Amino acid sequence: MHLSPTSLIAGLGLLAMAQAGPVAPVAGPEAGITFTVERTALGEIESFVNATALGVDIFGEIPDDGVREGDKVLAEPGSKAWAWIRAQIDIDWNNVPEEQKARAEKRQFWANIGVGMWTMDHCQGVAAYWDNAQYGLHHWDDMNFYSIGIYHRDLRNSEQLDVSRWANGDWCGRYMGTIGGEGIGCAHVGPINCFHLFLK
């Protein structure tokens, strides 16, 4: 196949424009990204069933078999901490009894919202969990994450949750998109390394 200099230059120009173009949001109805709560064949919430089988209280403190690194907890699949983290994003806080809400709120700080990210689709693989996500900070890890969930409440109209990935020597160097305002369960967004929660 022979390419003329004109067609080669035109092709390279289109490639450069495609790479320099804006990145589409990764979540929200317009992007087709939805949060999903996985259920068993009996209609039970799968993550609650799995946590209960391990003796995990999903409204209590995170089990101590996770590894705390600064402002996050890392948990391997099969651990109690992993089961607890996974269950958090499936809780519909609008329908939780006040007693359970009060127990959970005792461990809330800062923005009163938590974020979990997983190294595989469907919120599987190694989990990284930030219980007290702070406004205005970039929360990151050097692993690639492919799914995300938020817990305790929906994002408010005054809040924005952006996700990004490694670029130019920075784990948060390339903006990948914005997570929509509400969602219970798991959303597929990766690969990402970082999230940033802030007030608009």
Side-chain angles (χ1 to χ4, degrees), residues 186-197:
C186 180
H188 310 292
V189 297
I192 58 173
N193 303 102
C194 178
F195 73 88
H196 178 206
L197 177 67

Side-chain angles (χ1 to χ4, degrees), residues 56-139:
V56 173
D57 176 4
I58 65 172
F59 295 105
E61 297 288 333
I62 186 170
D64 61 7
D65 60 351
V67 177
R68 183 160 291 279
E69 291 184 359
D71 63 347
K72 69 177 175 286
V73 174
L74 296 175
E76 294 286 337
S79 68
K80 291 183 176 185
W82 190 97
W84 184 92
I85 293 168
R86 181 61 188 86
Q88 295 304 297
I89 65 170
D90 289 339
I91 298 172
D92 181 355
W93 291 99
N94 295 320
N95 293 307
V96 169
E98 289 303 317
E99 177 186 334
Q100 302 294 20
K101 280 185 187 177
R103 287 181 60 216
E105 284 169 0
K106 287 181 181 177
R107 54 182 168 81
Q108 302 303 312
F109 301 98
W110 310 104
N112 203 28
I113 198 168
V115 176
M117 299 194 299
W118 285 263
T119 58
M120 297 172 63
D121 288 337
H122 307 290
C123 292
Q124 299 297 310
V126 174
Y129 170 72
W130 290 260
D131 189 18
N132 33 334
Q134 297 179 47
Y135 289 124
L137 295 181
H138 285 92
H139 301 276

Side-chain angles (χ1 to χ4, degrees), residues 117-182:
M117 299 194 299
W118 285 263
T119 58
M120 297 172 63
D121 288 337
H122 307 290
C123 292
Q124 299 297 310
V126 174
Y129 170 72
W130 290 260
D131 189 18
N132 33 334
Q134 297 179 47
Y135 289 124
L137 295 181
H138 285 92
H139 301 276
W140 63 274
D141 195 277
D142 59 3
M143 290 184 280
N144 286 331
F145 297 100
Y146 291 86
S147 47
I148 192 169
I150 58 176
Y151 90 95
H152 190 65
R153 63 172 176 79
D154 294 334
L155 294 169
R156 297 187 175 107
N157 289 337
S158 61
E159 297 171 323
Q160 184 167 322
L161 180 63
D162 289 347
V163 292
S164 52
R165 64 174 300 179
W166 169 266
N168 304 317
D170 181 353
W171 289 108
C172 309
R174 181 177 177 200
Y175 167 80
M176 296 300 291
T178 298
I179 301 296
E182 53 184 75

